[in-house]
């Protein structure tokens, strides 16, 4: 049984306008399904913006995680001293 038989599209009870609307709806559904599949294929090949951004920042995330373990061990006074060192390093970098 095909689409037209299931919907009774060509039976006498449908007006020409109703047949047109049902056919148009079927066409739109097929286009949406096709586009959705195409979008999924493109996303698989190239990735979406979010995936590309995550891939780009992942090395920085790993560096922060590695540094966190060292910083966590520092006392408050050692952390204050480290902050001073970091400020001096940033100022020196900015001058270059």
């Amino acid at each position: 049984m095909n689409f037209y038989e299931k919907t009774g599209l060509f039976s006498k009870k449908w007006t020409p306008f109703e047949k047109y609307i049902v056919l148009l709806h079927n066409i739109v559904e097929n286009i949406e399904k096709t586009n959705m599949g195409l979008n999924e294929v493109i996303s698989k090949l190239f990735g979406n913006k979010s995936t590309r951004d995550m891939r780009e920042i992942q090395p920085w995330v790993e560096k922060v995680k590695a540094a966190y373990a060292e910083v966590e061990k520092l006392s408050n006074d050692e952390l204050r001293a480290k902050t001073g060192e970091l400020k001096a390093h940033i100022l020196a970098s900015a001058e270059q």
Side-chain angles (χ1 to χ4, degrees):
M1 180 177 283
N2 65 26
F3 169 79
Y4 305 106
E5 293 168 345
K6 282 192 276 187
T7 59
L9 185 62
F10 294 116
S11 67
K12 301 282 185 199
K13 61 185 174 184
W14 292 80
T15 66
F17 180 73
E18 290 170 330
K19 290 179 185 179
Y20 174 76
I21 295 298
V22 172
L23 283 172
L24 189 61
H25 177 72
N26 187 35
I27 291 168
V28 169
E29 276 186 347
N30 287 335
I31 290 172
E32 287 174 350
K33 288 177 186 175
T34 304
N35 285 343
M36 189 64 112
L38 181 61
N39 289 339
E40 288 173 2
V41 168
I42 290 172
S43 291
K44 295 279 185 194
L45 288 174
F46 302 107
N48 59 23
K49 175 78 168 119
S50 176
T51 305
R52 289 190 305 269
D53 289 345
M54 290 298 292
R55 199 175 307 133
E56 184 178 335
I57 67 169
Q58 192 60 38
W60 292 98
V61 171
E62 296 304 323
K63 288 179 183 179
V64 168
K65 284 181 180 179
Y68 182 78
E70 295 175 21
V71 172
E72 191 177 34
K73 295 175 188 175
L74 299 175
S75 69
N76 286 341
D77 293 333
E78 292 170 327
L79 191 56
R80 284 186 194 97
K82 200 68 148 163
T83 302
E85 291 174 22
L86 183 59
K87 285 180 183 179
H89 177 73
I90 291 171
L91 288 173
S93 297
E95 291 174 357
Q96 292 176 354

